[in-house]
Amino acid sequence: MTRRVDSDLLLVGSLPVDSTDEGFRAGAALFADRVAALPDGESGARGAWVGYDRTTLLEPHPDIRVIAPSPSPTGRARHAYDTARLTVADGVERLRFDTWPRITETLASYERFTALRDEGVIPAHLRFQVGLPFPSSVFTGAFKDNYARDWAIVGSALEDLWVRSLDELLTVVPATDLAVQWDLAYETQDLERVIHWTEGDPWERFAGPWSRLAPHVPEDVLMGLHLCYGTFPEWPMYEARDMGLIVRMANHAVAHAGRPVDWIHLAGPRYLRSEEDAFFAPLADLDAPDSRVFLGIVLPLDGIDGLRRRHATASRHLADFGVAMYCGMGRQRGEDPAATMRDHAETVAAVRG
């Protein structure tokens, strides 16, 4: 099979912008010749990533009870332990979500995307990129008290909603105009066994939904996989010993997608491991010949020099890859959002040439 994505940069998703319009304009101006698809930047409440889904999808559901609200004065959690604690109400054995507010926001973004493309602001070759968090990432942070029981009920309801939402998205966005990226962060930490309240089989929480959701994405849609350890509130929430787990997850995803996985984003190390061969060594076991690999080795910590160090080390274990931020930039705004994005573009250009 011919690889369908060969760009040298991936915009992971969230950008340090205040609006969808700003995200599209800045992304197109700075990165149009380096990326295959353009995200809307996930501005506003979506900058909290799955915190947005908890407050707009989970907490309002009549069959879900708030055990303890977020102690944050804004109601928007500032870190993992600031998240509201939720549980399924007593006596409920099955529930259903009618609509996903994230999709409503996404369709509004696509309307703006097409308008800007018609104006010539967004080049015609760029696809509309949509980042969708995986069900377990939406669920895990909040359901701490009855985890296994609640996952059996809520997990299947979320998966059903995801399927219907993909169909809804594709009634508006042509498949050939769309790029879907599955975003996984809590799944990696769950598999590392660092989330003390989870129960049961964490591999099934990743592999089961993947085997059902990925094949539901039509082949004309570009599809990517983003694996990292989160940035809530720091980079990263947990630093793995090496890339072994996410390489194993990526290999499984490619083998069980039922369709092409066009790109894979794998989070790199924090800066002190930039020259540690042992961290990058598992890349030699990556088995994804038809996927474009992007390594999340651009950090808001050490700029061009740091990226060069990590790039040189990774190159000893993987011959060909693009680069990306470790995760999205929504919570790493810096003093000036425009300057943050310019720095990102200049850092990548200096190293990639």
Side-chain angles (χ1 to χ4, degrees):
M1 175 184 167
T2 302
R3 196 163 65 185
R4 302 195 297 181
V5 171
D6 204 30
S7 53
D8 66 351
L9 174 67
L10 172 71
L11 290 177
V12 179
S14 60
L15 302 173
V17 294
D18 295 317
S19 69
T20 292
D21 190 83
E22 183 184 1
F24 282 142
R25 289 180 182 275
L30 291 168
F31 306 107
D33 61 340
R34 290 185 173 273
V35 299
L38 196 63
D40 68 3
E42 299 177 3
S43 59
R46 285 180 299 144
W49 192 46
V50 292
Y52 170 82
D53 302 294
R54 291 181 193 128
T55 57
T56 63
L57 177 68
L58 298 177
E59 291 182 29
H61 196 284
D63 292 330
I64 293 176
R65 184 165 61 88
V66 178
I67 296 175
S70 171
S72 168
T74 65
R76 176 171 165 173
R78 297 159 294 190
H79 51 78
Y81 287 100
D82 219 17
T83 302
R85 287 169 41 219
L86 309 178
T87 193
V88 176
D90 292 342
V92 174
E93 296 181 358
R94 185 175 181 180
L95 57 79
R96 185 181 192 274
F97 296 100
D98 291 330
T99 58
W100 192 2
R102 181 178 290 273
I103 297 301
T104 301
E105 296 266 6
T106 298
L107 292 176
S109 292
Y110 181 66
E111 184 176 351
R112 191 66 193 133
F113 178 91
T114 56
L116 289 171
R117 187 171 57 188
D118 290 344
E119 294 174 20
V121 174
I122 295 176
H125 72 276
L126 291 179
R127 293 203 186 202
F128 175 60
Q129 179 177 320
V130 178
L132 299 178
F134 227 49
S136 181
S137 275
V138 170
F139 173 89
T140 292
F143 289 84
K144 300 176 181 178
D145 293 75
N146 301 290
Y147 188 89
R149 176 253 182 181
D150 287 350
W151 171 251
I153 298 170
V154 178
S156 60
L158 291 175
E159 194 174 320
D160 172 67
L161 175 64
W162 269 220
V163 168
R164 288 185 282 113
S165 296
L166 282 167
D167 293 342
E168 180 185 357
L169 191 60
L170 284 160
T171 62
V172 178
V173 185
T176 54
D177 220 9
L178 183 62
V180 169
Q181 176 177 277
W182 297 107
D183 296 332
L184 287 73
Y186 272 96
E187 289 81 3
T188 57
Q189 297 171 74
D190 193 10
L191 283 161
E192 295 280 9
R193 300 290 188 177
V194 296
I195 304 177
H196 74 84
W197 61 83
T198 64
E199 304 172 70
D201 184 1
W203 185 260
E204 174 57 26
R205 285 191 284 274
F206 153 63
W210 177 265
S211 68
R212 295 181 289 271
L213 291 174
H216 195 74
V217 180
E219 287 199 24
D220 284 344
V221 177
L222 293 181
M223 187 178 78
L225 172 65
H226 159 61
L227 296 170
C228 82
Y229 287 88
T231 59
F232 187 40
E234 57 192 359
W235 290 65
M237 291 171 70
Y238 171 79
E239 185 179 25
R241 184 66 221 164
D242 58 39
M243 299 183 75
L245 173 64
I246 55 178
V247 166
R248 178 185 167 215
M249 293 174 74
N251 287 344
H252 181 90
V254 169
H256 295 85
R259 51 142 295 153
V261 178
D262 293 292
W263 74 85
I264 298 166
H265 173 273
L266 303 174
R270 197 167 169 83
Y271 71 106
L272 282 178
R273 284 180 165 166
S274 297
E275 297 172 292
E276 183 184 356
D277 277 297
F279 185 92
F280 292 96
L283 287 172
D285 298 324
L286 185 63
D287 186 14
D290 298 321
S291 304
R292 180 57 166 163
V293 178
F294 295 97
L295 299 184
I297 55 176
V298 185
L299 299 180
L301 300 166
D302 53 9
I304 293 172
D305 289 341
L307 176 55
R308 281 180 174 152
R309 283 190 290 270
R310 289 182 287 279
H311 193 279
T313 309
S315 295
R316 293 196 285 269
H317 306 281
L318 187 67
D320 180 30
F321 57 88
V323 300
M325 291 288 277
Y326 177 91
C327 193
M329 289 186 274
R331 290 187 294 276
Q332 283 72 41
R333 299 179 65 84
E335 295 182 7
D336 181 346
T340 299
M341 292 184 69
R342 283 197 303 271
D343 287 346
H344 182 39
E346 290 165 4
T347 297
V348 172
V351 175
R352 297 294 294 174

